[in-house]
Amino acid sequence: MNIPKISATVEGLFIGKVTHRWKGRDPSAIHKTAASGLLNIDSNGFTDDAQADLKHHGGRDKAIHHYPADHYSVWIAEGEMPNGTLPAAFGENLTTHGLTELNLCIGDILRLGTAVVQISQGRQPCWKVSEYTANKRMAYLFQKTGRTGWYYRVLEHGQIRKGDHINLIERRQPDWTVQRVTAARLTRQVSSQDAHTLANLSDLAEGWRSAFEKLASGDFTENTSLRLIGQNNNI
């Protein structure tokens, strides 16, 4: 299989610490600040980064979150974010121009600095995105537009600094772009055949494969309201 020539310059790297009782609620590490110098990457992502809720964030399949800088101008033009908003307004770890949910696929393997990473899933937005951006509809809009970014699992440890490159080195699932799979997962508008295929797609994160297994069996009962709007918000 021919590998598309896809590469980008890493324009920003962001790390954060856990803030307890963030916004008066649960602990969170969504607040990320720009990192300078050389960062180490291990199986859990950047070694200087933290996640507060390891049930829903972090871990092997969600070690690093990549969000396209390309989307910021669109959010601003749509009036959903203020002029001048910069990465990491969504709590991402990594940003570039030119790599998006449309030209990358689940299972893609990329060299990130000296590390090797693999795309495992899109981002499943929660109410913290809305709180952090001060836009109570943002988690819903993330889900509606599919502009969610994606997560990496780390295949080989390494190091990275701002200005290094990220390059596609292997494409394993050319039919399953990040956009296509994320839309299927978040909207649940997916055929039983596709849901069955995704449930057995080994490169896809385990949690999403389990969700597609339920969809393949006809179980569409997942309640997303608490994740999207929390207990005290309304879209």
Side-chain angles (χ1 to χ4, degrees):
M1 180 187 299
N2 292 328
I3 302 172
K5 293 183 178 180
I6 296 176
S7 66
T9 300
V10 175
E11 298 175 10
L13 297 167
F14 309 97
I15 58 176
K17 297 183 181 301
V18 175
T19 299
H20 294 280
R21 298 299 297 168
W22 180 79
K23 292 285 187 179
R25 302 208 223 174
D26 301 329
S28 176
I30 193 172
H31 180 64
K32 309 290 185 186
T33 56
S36 60
L38 197 63
L39 296 183
N40 293 313
I41 299 173
D42 65 14
S43 298
N44 293 315
F46 299 139
T47 58
D48 292 331
D49 191 36
Q51 292 86 28
D53 178 5
L54 293 177
K55 179 179 179 181
H56 299 102
H57 305 283
R60 178 179 180 271
D61 282 336
K62 292 180 283 187
I64 297 172
H65 180 235
H66 186 158
Y67 196 80
D70 315 59
H71 295 336
Y72 276 90
S73 60
V74 182
W75 289 120
I76 292 169
E78 292 172 347
E80 300 297 346
M81 304 194 80
N83 288 332
T85 299
L86 299 172
F90 298 115
E92 63 265 33
N93 297 117
L94 165 67
T95 193
T96 58
H97 276 92
L99 305 182
T100 72
E101 297 86 355
L102 283 169
N103 63 11
L104 291 175
C105 299
I106 297 297
D108 277 359
I109 297 176
L110 303 99
R111 186 168 298 281
L112 175 61
T114 63
V116 177
V117 297
Q118 182 179 37
I119 297 178
S120 54
Q121 65 169 78
R123 181 173 176 177
Q124 197 167 358
C126 72
W127 61 268
K128 290 181 181 179
V129 172
S130 300
E131 291 276 4
Y132 192 59
T133 59
N135 181 339
K136 66 181 182 180
R137 300 175 65 244
M138 187 55 76
Y140 163 76
L141 292 170
F142 246 49
Q143 182 156 300
K144 179 181 178 181
T145 64
R147 299 197 292 260
T148 70
W150 53 89
Y151 285 103
Y152 295 117
R153 63 173 65 94
V154 178
L155 302 184
E156 295 181 16
H157 298 185
Q159 297 178 313
I160 182 76
R161 71 171 76 236
K162 181 179 178 181
D164 284 352
H165 290 91
I166 178 169
N167 302 293
L168 179 67
I169 57 177
E170 183 178 347
R171 172 150 289 173
R172 295 163 55 90
Q173 308 292 343
D175 294 332
W176 296 106
T177 64
V178 174
Q179 184 192 53
R180 183 184 181 190
V181 177
T182 302
R185 174 68 186 97
L186 299 185
T187 68
R188 290 169 288 168
Q189 295 177 3
V190 58
S191 70
S192 59
Q193 181 177 352
D194 282 351
H196 177 75
T197 298
L198 290 167
N200 291 280
L201 198 71
S202 60
D203 292 326
L204 188 61
E206 182 179 357
W208 279 31
R209 283 189 281 117
S210 296
F212 282 117
E213 185 175 6
K214 291 181 180 179
L215 293 174
S217 70
D219 182 355
F220 289 82
T221 60
E222 181 183 13
N223 183 352
T224 62
S225 60
L226 187 61
R227 170 176 59 81
L228 286 173
I229 64 176
Q231 294 179 336
N232 302 313
N233 294 327
N234 292 301
I235 291 177

